[in-house]
Amino acid sequence: MKNWTIVLFGGLALSALVGCGSNASVSGMVTAGGETVDGGSVIFRPLADGVKPAIGKINADGGYSLVTAGNGGVQPGEYQVMYMPPDQREDEAGRAIGPPIKWRKFRAPSSPVNVDSGENDISITLEKS
């Protein structure tokens, strides 16, 4: 009986670990007009109810990695991608400081993307709006 108890609890523990592994990781590159985008954020808005959105800051080299509510995982499923350009710095009077944000007139493609379990490399090509 003791061996069956160990097998039962071992199986339950393994099931719990497999369930925790249902999250995916998502990273990739963001480009526009043949260049890498060097700022802003991408947001993956889930198409299914009850799934949290994920966000990734775009690095200077155009790369991003998504996080969901402070942790590294993303729930597998379909997502609508959105692009948020970096904020333009302004002075006290509301006038732009520095060069205009190059990517502010671009948007993410309208077709949804699919995130699978495990590692996902999803490149995003922004379109001029």
Side-chain angles (χ1 to χ4, degrees):
M1 182 71 174
K2 185 176 179 182
N3 288 339
W4 283 107
T5 305
I6 292 171
V7 170
L8 178 64
F9 283 124
L12 289 174
L14 183 60
S15 310
L17 288 174
V18 170
C20 292
S22 66
N23 279 350
S25 64
V26 179
S27 60
M29 296 292 292
V30 182
T31 59
E35 299 178 55
T36 56
V37 174
D38 59 358
S41 301
V42 289
I43 300 165
F44 278 45
R45 186 179 58 83
L47 297 182
D49 292 334
V51 179
K52 294 180 181 178
I55 188 167
K57 182 174 173 24
I58 302 170
N59 303 320
D61 67 355
Y64 75 94
S65 293
L66 294 181
V67 295
T68 304
N71 60 33
V74 178
Q75 186 70 29
E78 278 195 305
Y79 291 83
Q80 183 65 52
V81 179
M82 300 183 317
Y83 169 67
M84 299 289 296
D87 290 334
Q88 176 73 52
R89 290 186 13 199
E90 297 178 345
D91 64 13
E92 299 82 32
R95 294 181 299 246
I97 298 174
I101 302 300
K102 184 175 186 175
W103 312 112
R104 68 187 176 111
K105 293 191 179 190
F106 285 83
R107 61 179 172 77
S110 58
S111 57
V113 298
N114 190 52
V115 173
D116 297 320
S117 294
E119 294 183 21
N120 292 262
D121 182 3
I122 300 175
S123 295
I124 300 167
T125 303
L126 302 179
E127 302 168 346
K128 194 141 189 160
S129 48

